[in-house]
Amino acid sequence: MRRDNYMLDDEKDIEEQNESSFSLVADFEGNEEQLFDIKIDLDNDLPFLPLRNLMLYPGVFLPIAIGRKSSLKVVKEAEKNKSIIAIFCQKEARIEQPLKQDLYPVGVIAKVVKILQMPDHTTTAILQGIKRTELLEVTQLRPHLRGEVKLLNDEVPPKNDKEYAALVESCKDLTIRYIRASERMHQDSIFAIRNINNPMFLINFICTNLPFKIEEKVELIGMDALRARTFRLLEILNREVQLLELKASIQMRAREDIDQQQREYFLQQQIKNIQEELGGSTQSQEIEELCAKGKSMLWPREIAQTFEKELAKLDRTHPQSPDYSIQLNYIQTLLGLPWGVYTEDNLNLIQAEKTLNKDHYGLEKVKERILEHLAVLKLKNDMKSPIICLYGPPGVGKTSLGRSIASALKRKYIRMSLGGVHDEAEIRGHRKTYIGAMPGRIIKSLIKVGSSNPVFILDEIDKLGSDHKGDPSSALLEVLDPEQNNTFHDNFLDVDYDLSKVMFIATANNLNTIPAPLLDRMEMIEISGYITEEKVEIAHRHLVPKTLEANGLKKAGIKIPKNTLEAIVESYTRESGVRELEKKIGKILRKSARRYATNGSLEKSEIKPDDLYDFLGAPEYSHDKYQGNEYAGVVTGLAWTAVGGEILFVETSLSRGKGGKLTLTGNLGDVMKESAMLALEYIKAHASVLKLDEDIFENWNIHVHVPEGAIPKDGPSAGITMATSLASALTQRKVKTNLAMTGEITLRGKVLPVGGIKEKILAAKRAGIKEIILSAENKKNIDEIEAMYLKGLKFHYVNEIKEVFVIALTKEKVADAIDLTVKKADKDKK
């Protein structure tokens, strides 16, 4: 911004102004009277000069830097014509074209003594104030400001007024004290002040040149009575001198402490002394409280030594230092940790088992592992907690099981979600020297829960990520190793903390994304999907009461019987867990709640299977049913999906064609395609087993299809199903009724075991299957399944594909069997 005067908040400008003003007054030493004897011939209006943050008083000389073109024109014309101008101060310095309301009304009539061209190509005008004046009206804005003004007379006390003389001397003494205490005023100015004898000039000179607030300068020039102006000036000088001397005193005290502290704490020491002036600091009291709390902690001796050392360091640190808050945060973290604080475990095994059974139906393996841990803890009274990983599909109750375990053990419960975490500092924390440093989430969770032996759920451990900030899964290696976590090292704490009493329970959906070293440190417990009967029982015991309460219908008397729940599971959900089932129950109850809230009564107090259409709409899913064995080449297989088991149909058809082309359709993956090729090559190599003419493969094309082509399918478990389908199609023999199979094959005809046996068996039961063919090695999986799920099923255990053909293929051919024989005439042509 361009300017036409010195800004008082610019230190350099103030010094230049003061030096120039004091040198000018030195030229008039002893001749102050002539400064007020100038005759004024006042016209109707005068050109005037608006100044920023500066006020000129009568009799005083002042250099003004000219910036505005209009202002430069005014001073040049005034110098040339030896005329006078009016000076007024702007209320806001940023305004370039001020109007009357933008100016203080009282100013001064002045004359231009001299105009100087400065070396930096700026123009400076030396002005002399003559008489106080008041702005009546602005009569012209361009090319420069003009306005009507009125002269103001000063009420000067008589020369023999001793009280006023003493008042002026007091102002002179305070001004000299101010100049001595100020680092911004030139000390040679004292000589000029002492040699000013005219009281009015002295007062005006002090008002012009000392850096008061501009509002106070306007207030002073607006006073007609010189005595009142002098009294007001004395008050201002007293205040400014006291502030300067207090500042000097603070600086002096700070200098005395510089030898004991580094020079960068100089400004901080000034603040400290100010605090002492205001009544002292609370630092000592805060440190005493921290020390008293530290004495009551149950921490090891080496931790106590670290605490004392860090507390002494805090005591030496200044409260306003950035290091103080960092050090205080570290000590508060040390004090907040539950050193040696443990909750008492519930060692009543019967009661713990009841608690687990009450909260969760099924999940026998997990409950058994927890009760084993409690039994050993009861006998030994001290042991490291196990590191358990519960893995399985979504919605089977892995996370909620952790809360039940904490309830059974009567321990505190913490849950930390690891999904999307990609910063190692989330686990280990930051080093405390960094700005904004904090401990890792494990330490923060222990501080929050206030116990060193909680049940700690590491949720979604398979969703951990990694980037340039480190690998959190690698940081967890120390946490989840019972041999290492008794000395867990958090970067922020920088001391070891014992995590061996914490029961860590991780949850995961997919083990393939978890690093092998991390898997090795955990005890893996699979939580497979629930069967229909289990889902119905879970809904009856837990989901329905929970959802009734959530929807305000606990006292309404509405009932959802088990056959209705089974219909919901079979027709409206397809999942391994029970999340979707809970949503469907909630949807039914919300509709009932609306009707109940509207009419005050339930339309249906018992929801029957036939009512589900009104509440949930048309059924969303239907399970495949066995389709019979009327066609050759159609075989029922068993498949595993993320939402449970399913039956799978493999269809094979033949068509005449040279070369024996094999076509595979049905959105099959590479593994299933390879299984089909393996099965065909085996049948070609062992055609005699099925009593096939080898020429069939040259004259018939084979097409293998797996229905529901929109759904991707892959895996090795359809190997024997495809082989049987090909054998049935090529021999045109029927497949045994109500038979399903699953197993992998090799090129030599070996039948290998597959997974997901429990889910596949349940799918077979739903579809009405009576007999199942499995690999002999899968017998151990059947033995682990409860007898209630095997009722009504017959199992055939095989080692080779030949055995499958014997069991699956009947001697009966289909009614419209294709004639696969090769005509003799065709052979002769060849």
Side-chain angles (χ1 to χ4, degrees), residues 185-404:
M185 302 291 291
H186 202 289
Q187 296 301 307
D188 292 343
S189 307
I190 297 173
F191 177 79
I193 291 292
R194 283 177 174 164
N195 286 277
I196 296 176
N197 297 319
N198 186 294
M200 183 174 180
F201 178 71
L202 177 65
I203 299 305
N204 289 349
F205 184 82
I206 294 171
C207 291
T208 301
N209 289 286
L210 263 63
F212 307 149
K213 294 179 182 178
I214 191 63
E215 292 81 6
E216 292 176 340
K217 293 194 174 189
V218 171
E219 177 189 358
L220 289 168
I221 200 171
M223 294 180 175
D224 295 333
L226 191 57
R227 180 189 294 272
R229 190 187 307 168
T230 308
F231 263 114
R232 178 63 182 136
L233 176 62
L234 187 63
E235 292 176 1
I236 295 172
L237 285 171
N238 263 310
R239 182 197 68 203
E240 296 295 324
V241 168
Q242 287 177 14
L243 288 174
L244 276 178
E245 288 180 348
L246 181 60
K247 180 181 177 182
S249 174
I250 293 170
Q251 290 175 340
M252 184 61 68
R253 295 182 193 177
R255 289 193 188 100
E256 293 174 357
D257 294 334
I258 284 177
D259 293 338
Q260 301 174 5
Q261 299 188 12
Q262 298 177 357
R263 289 192 63 85
E264 60 258 30
Y265 290 111
F266 174 71
L267 293 176
Q268 298 170 8
Q269 286 297 324
Q270 294 187 37
I271 297 172
K272 181 179 179 180
N273 290 327
I274 290 173
Q275 288 179 339
E276 291 176 357
E277 290 287 338
L278 295 174
S281 171
T282 59
Q283 180 185 7
S284 300
Q285 182 182 354
E286 191 173 45
I287 290 175
E288 288 176 4
E289 291 175 358
L290 294 174
C291 184
K293 189 174 181 181
K295 291 179 180 178
S296 64
M297 298 296 292
L298 301 174
W299 44 30
R301 185 170 55 86
E302 57 270 19
I303 304 299
Q305 292 174 352
T306 301
F307 171 75
E308 291 171 2
K309 184 177 75 173
E310 297 295 334
L311 190 64
K313 184 177 178 182
L314 179 71
D315 194 19
R316 294 192 302 270
T317 306
H318 193 274
Q320 300 301 323
S321 167
D323 293 336
Y324 184 84
S325 60
I326 295 173
Q327 191 69 12
L328 180 61
N329 184 26
Y330 175 75
I331 290 176
Q332 288 175 338
T333 302
L334 273 180
L335 291 171
L337 274 168
W339 300 93
V341 177
Y342 302 98
T343 55
E344 187 176 350
D345 286 330
N346 171 30
L347 300 179
N348 187 332
L349 299 182
I350 298 175
Q351 188 64 37
E353 186 175 8
K354 285 182 180 179
T355 303
L356 290 172
N357 290 332
K358 176 185 175 183
D359 293 343
H360 284 81
Y361 180 80
L363 307 179
E364 302 302 331
K365 287 184 180 179
V366 190
K367 296 175 182 176
E368 184 180 350
R369 181 64 186 89
I370 299 304
L371 293 173
E372 287 171 0
H373 169 70
L374 278 179
V376 177
L377 190 62
K378 184 175 182 179
L379 295 175
K380 194 181 177 187
N381 201 28
D382 181 28
M383 68 173 293
K384 294 178 180 177
S385 292
I387 312 293
I388 297 173
C389 180
L390 308 176
Y391 69 97
V396 294
K398 300 184 296 296
T399 305
S400 61
L401 185 61
R403 189 180 293 275
S404 297

Side-chain angles (χ1 to χ4, degrees), residues 405-423:
I405 292 171
S407 176
L409 297 175
K410 293 191 176 178
R411 289 190 180 187
K412 298 292 184 66
Y413 171 80
I414 306 173
R415 176 185 166 274
M416 184 172 84
S417 177
L418 297 176
V421 172
H422 52 78
D423 187 355

Side-chain angles (χ1 to χ4, degrees), residues 150-161:
K150 178 180 74 173
L151 294 177
L152 299 175
N153 295 316
D154 293 317
E155 298 175 15
V156 181
K159 290 186 177 180
N160 58 354
D161 189 339

Side-chain angles (χ1 to χ4, degrees), residues 17-290:
Q17 171 195 316
N18 291 337
E19 288 181 22
S20 301
S21 300
F22 283 112
S23 62
L24 284 169
V25 77
D27 294 337
F28 286 90
E29 182 180 342
N31 300 312
E32 296 91 355
E33 294 296 334
Q34 68 182 17
L35 297 174
F36 299 96
D37 293 335
I38 300 172
K39 302 298 182 182
I40 297 176
D41 185 13
L42 189 63
D43 297 328
N44 291 332
D45 61 348
L46 287 177
F48 66 85
L49 201 64
L51 302 184
R52 296 184 177 100
N53 298 324
L54 193 62
M55 181 64 72
L56 180 62
Y57 282 68
V60 181
F61 291 83
L62 194 65
I64 304 294
I66 305 297
R68 296 186 180 109
K69 291 182 179 180
S70 58
S71 300
L72 186 61
K73 186 175 182 180
V74 168
V75 295
K76 284 184 176 180
E77 287 181 1
E79 182 191 41
K80 180 180 178 181
N81 301 327
K82 304 296 182 182
S83 60
I84 58 174
I85 59 176
I87 304 292
F88 295 96
C89 181
Q90 294 181 198
K91 294 179 180 178
E92 290 187 23
R94 61 184 176 83
I95 298 175
E96 286 292 333
Q97 295 292 335
L99 303 174
K100 181 183 177 183
Q101 63 268 23
D102 301 322
L103 300 170
Y104 289 109
V106 179
V108 66
I109 300 295
K111 71 174 184 177
V112 180
V113 178
K114 194 171 185 180
I115 297 177
L116 303 173
Q117 293 296 326
M118 308 305 291
D120 58 354
H121 305 292
T122 59
T123 301
T124 298
I126 299 175
L127 305 178
Q128 179 194 2
I130 301 173
K131 191 86 172 176
R132 290 188 313 117
T133 186
E134 181 181 1
L135 178 62
L136 299 178
E137 190 60 48
V138 176
T139 58
Q140 176 182 306
L141 294 176
R142 288 183 177 82
H144 54 75
L145 295 171
R146 294 183 68 91
E148 292 183 14
V149 297
K150 178 180 74 173
L151 294 177
L152 299 175
N153 295 316
D154 293 317
E155 298 175 15
V156 181
K159 290 186 177 180
N160 58 354
D161 189 339
K162 294 182 179 179
E163 181 183 358
Y164 179 70
L167 192 61
V168 172
E169 285 298 318
S170 297
C171 288
K172 181 184 288 190
D173 293 340
L174 284 173
T175 304
I176 292 172
R177 283 175 60 187
Y178 179 91
I179 294 171
R180 284 175 175 166
S182 175
E183 297 177 356
R184 302 170 67 183
M185 302 291 291
H186 202 289
Q187 296 301 307
D188 292 343
S189 307
I190 297 173
F191 177 79
I193 291 292
R194 283 177 174 164
N195 286 277
I196 296 176
N197 297 319
N198 186 294
M200 183 174 180
F201 178 71
L202 177 65
I203 299 305
N204 289 349
F205 184 82
I206 294 171
C207 291
T208 301
N209 289 286
L210 263 63
F212 307 149
K213 294 179 182 178
I214 191 63
E215 292 81 6
E216 292 176 340
K217 293 194 174 189
V218 171
E219 177 189 358
L220 289 168
I221 200 171
M223 294 180 175
D224 295 333
L226 191 57
R227 180 189 294 272
R229 190 187 307 168
T230 308
F231 263 114
R232 178 63 182 136
L233 176 62
L234 187 63
E235 292 176 1
I236 295 172
L237 285 171
N238 263 310
R239 182 197 68 203
E240 296 295 324
V241 168
Q242 287 177 14
L243 288 174
L244 276 178
E245 288 180 348
L246 181 60
K247 180 181 177 182
S249 174
I250 293 170
Q251 290 175 340
M252 184 61 68
R253 295 182 193 177
R255 289 193 188 100
E256 293 174 357
D257 294 334
I258 284 177
D259 293 338
Q260 301 174 5
Q261 299 188 12
Q262 298 177 357
R263 289 192 63 85
E264 60 258 30
Y265 290 111
F266 174 71
L267 293 176
Q268 298 170 8
Q269 286 297 324
Q270 294 187 37
I271 297 172
K272 181 179 179 180
N273 290 327
I274 290 173
Q275 288 179 339
E276 291 176 357
E277 290 287 338
L278 295 174
S281 171
T282 59
Q283 180 185 7
S284 300
Q285 182 182 354
E286 191 173 45
I287 290 175
E288 288 176 4
E289 291 175 358
L290 294 174

Side-chain angles (χ1 to χ4, degrees), residues 96 273 298 360 453 501 670 736 781:
E96 286 292 333
N273 290 327
L298 301 174
H360 284 81
N453 65 334
K501 301 294 189 297
D670 292 338
K736 193 174 184 180
N781 303 107

